[in-house]
Amino acid sequence: MPYQSDTEGKSMSSSSIISRSTATHRRTRQASNSVSPPGPPIPPVDASPNPRPFTQLLAFVAIVFLGFLQFLPATHFRHPFDPLRKWVPYDSGSPSSSFSRSVASEDGKIYIVSWMDCLDLRVLAVLANSTLSNSRKQSPDKVHFRFFIPEGHDNKVSYFKLKVLFPHSDLEIFGQEEVKEKVRTANSAVVYAGHTFEEVAPFLIQIIYSSWSKFIYISPNVIVKKLNGRIEELFGSNLTSYAVGGIEDCSERLDNYVNSEVLASIQRTASKPWISVTPYAMKACMLDSSIFLIDPRKLDRDLGKAILWWSKVLNWSKRRSSKNPAIALALHGRYSKLSGSWLLGQSKRGIGKERMIIPYDGPMNICSEFGNAPSQSVPGNLWKQYLPPMADKILGF
């Protein structure tokens, strides 16, 4: 047995005493820490209840339903180049290439449509500004302009130039080629024989934009005089059961343009649904093509084809006149008569002050098959009253 000194025994007994003391202290500290704080006892926390199977199924169906909504087509969009970033509703029947489009609704706005064969933004600016001056409240947000410009021009550039001049007005720019192509496709057997598409455009626009509500078509080459609130009165005219409202010009009659024997022969030999079964009134007043009130939703789908057909039969391409009898014949007995105060008039006539619209009397671009000719000026200063400030610099004239 190995020898163990007294010193080693004392040290071992001392270490065992220290160990027991440390363990005792640790147990005492743990016990003191586990003592409950004073106050009412805390009840034990219950386990979370299991969800009912019905609620789980309902949540799953809702998630699946919301997921399928993501596959539905969009109803509104914001054009990236629109400075106002407005949400615009989609029109499923409109072409996608138009710069800005919307479905017209009964929203209290006045819709103004114009078609220009030879683009001149200065003329459109005068038309827009004079129309706004005729509004009762002269509120630009109450008048909505839709301008159709010829192909070969950037719709966005034209839009922004006019938008700078009329920042608070609703404005849309459309290309003409899609309407013309649709007309050519739908009426392949009928070729328009007129010398300008502008005169028949108001009745052909609805081929594509049939969802539009009532609008006023105004020729771009006119000035709407400053007469407070008259544009609202015109827009509010009751068309009754008709789709078109026109202004009669009784200074010119149908027999000034069409021979009665020729017309009677056409009635006997041609078989078309738009030909009247009763004789045409040869002394009927001609319609002024400068302005129409049109409701595309009521418009007969064959009206455009009828105008194209009459223009071809009458060989109107060889004639030059401010009025096309094809429109009067196609609309025979199918239009509502509007106030004669909207008849296009000249200031030099004694009744000039009574007219709501007068011809544009400023410089205008002249287009031909050989290209655009330099701007030509005609005598007159009235157009300058309606040209917005800085328009020449902004529009590049």
Side-chain angles (χ1 to χ4, degrees), residues 214 237-246 293-300 303 330-338:
K214 184 171 62 174
S237 299
N238 185 9
L239 295 178
T240 62
S241 60
Y242 298 107
V244 179
L293 182 62
I294 300 175
D295 190 342
R297 298 166 299 186
K298 299 179 181 179
L299 208 59
D300 189 345
L303 179 59
L331 287 174
H332 176 73
R334 302 166 65 184
Y335 68 90
S336 176
K337 183 180 177 181
L338 301 179

Side-chain angles (χ1 to χ4, degrees), residues 62-110:
I63 293 174
V64 172
F65 174 75
L66 294 176
F68 275 110
L69 287 179
Q70 305 303 314
F71 296 97
L72 293 177
T75 59
H76 292 69
F77 76 101
R78 290 195 301 185
H79 200 284
F81 295 100
D82 183 4
L84 301 179
R85 303 291 290 166
K86 291 184 178 180
W87 284 105
V88 181
Y90 274 113
D91 181 5
S92 58
S94 299
S96 58
S97 63
S98 61
F99 173 64
S100 178
R101 55 187 176 146
S102 64
V103 179
S105 58
E106 302 295 341
D107 52 7
K109 291 188 177 182
I110 300 173

Side-chain angles (χ1 to χ4, degrees), residues 56 99 161 290:
Q56 288 180 320
F99 173 64
K161 285 184 177 182
S290 298

Side-chain angles (χ1 to χ4, degrees), residues 80-384:
F81 295 100
D82 183 4
L84 301 179
R85 303 291 290 166
K86 291 184 178 180
W87 284 105
V88 181
Y90 274 113
D91 181 5
S92 58
S94 299
S96 58
S97 63
S98 61
F99 173 64
S100 178
R101 55 187 176 146
S102 64
V103 179
S105 58
E106 302 295 341
D107 52 7
K109 291 188 177 182
I110 300 173
Y111 290 89
I112 307 295
V113 177
S114 190
W115 180 289
M116 175 171 275
D117 283 335
C118 182
L119 182 62
D120 193 327
L121 293 179
R122 178 172 41 195
V123 177
L124 290 179
V126 171
L127 173 63
N129 204 32
S130 64
T131 304
L132 291 174
S133 68
N134 189 276
S135 176
R136 179 176 293 111
K137 297 181 180 179
Q138 298 188 10
S139 302
D141 59 330
K142 297 297 184 182
V143 182
H144 190 119
F145 295 101
R146 289 167 170 158
F147 295 142
F148 286 81
I149 66 174
E151 56 273 12
H153 299 275
D154 192 334
N155 293 1
K156 297 177 183 178
V157 173
S158 300
Y159 172 84
F160 285 122
K161 285 184 177 182
L162 292 175
K163 195 64 178 178
V164 171
L165 297 177
F166 307 100
H168 304 293
S169 296
D170 287 331
L171 177 68
E172 293 178 285
I173 300 294
F174 297 88
Q176 299 176 355
E177 185 57 30
E178 291 179 86
V179 176
K180 292 181 179 180
E181 181 62 30
K182 187 71 174 180
V183 170
R184 287 191 290 264
T185 303
N187 306 280
S188 57
V190 181
V191 179
Y192 178 55
H195 64 276
T196 172
F197 204 86
E198 186 176 301
E199 60 188 2
V200 298
F203 309 104
L204 302 177
I205 291 173
Q206 59 89 23
I207 294 178
I208 292 182
Y209 304 99
S210 58
S211 62
W212 283 2
S213 63
K214 184 171 62 174
F215 64 82
I216 299 174
Y217 176 85
I218 304 180
S219 170
N221 303 324
V222 302
I223 297 175
V224 184
K225 296 177 66 176
K226 289 184 178 180
L227 295 170
N228 193 21
R230 296 299 180 88
I231 197 72
E232 283 88 352
E233 294 178 8
L234 175 63
F235 189 76
S237 299
N238 185 9
L239 295 178
T240 62
S241 60
Y242 298 107
V244 179
I247 294 92
E248 293 182 345
D249 183 2
C250 292
S251 65
E252 300 185 49
R253 306 284 178 168
L254 182 61
D255 59 0
N256 299 136
Y257 296 85
V258 183
N259 183 280
S260 59
E261 296 181 358
V262 172
L263 189 57
S265 175
I266 293 174
Q267 285 186 277
R268 289 193 304 268
T269 58
S271 177
K272 296 293 181 180
W274 48 77
I275 298 179
S276 175
V277 295
T278 59
Y280 289 93
M282 300 306 297
K283 291 299 181 180
C285 300
M286 291 293 290
L287 286 173
D288 187 355
S289 59
S290 298
I291 188 167
F292 288 100
L293 182 62
I294 300 175
D295 190 342
R297 298 166 299 186
K298 299 179 181 179
L299 208 59
D300 189 345
R301 303 290 291 184
D302 289 334
L303 179 59
K305 183 181 293 186
I307 295 175
L308 299 178
W309 185 86
W310 277 112
S311 298
K312 181 181 179 181
V313 169
L314 298 176
N315 198 18
W316 200 245
S317 61
K318 296 182 179 180
R319 313 186 189 186
R320 294 292 183 270
S321 174
S322 59
K323 293 179 175 60
N324 187 347
I327 298 177
L329 292 171
L331 287 174
H332 176 73
R334 302 166 65 184
Y335 68 90
S336 176
K337 183 180 177 181
L338 301 179
S339 172
S341 60
W342 286 96
L343 179 65
L344 183 65
Q346 297 283 355
S347 298
K348 62 183 179 181
R349 298 177 184 175
I351 56 176
K353 293 183 180 180
E354 301 174 3
R355 300 302 190 194
M356 302 293 134
I357 57 174
I358 59 176
Y360 174 82
D361 63 347
M364 185 185 308
N365 287 336
I366 304 299
C367 300
S368 67
E369 57 182 351
F370 304 104
N372 295 354
S375 299
Q376 298 183 359
S377 299
V378 293
N381 295 312
L382 184 62
W383 68 279
K384 296 180 180 179

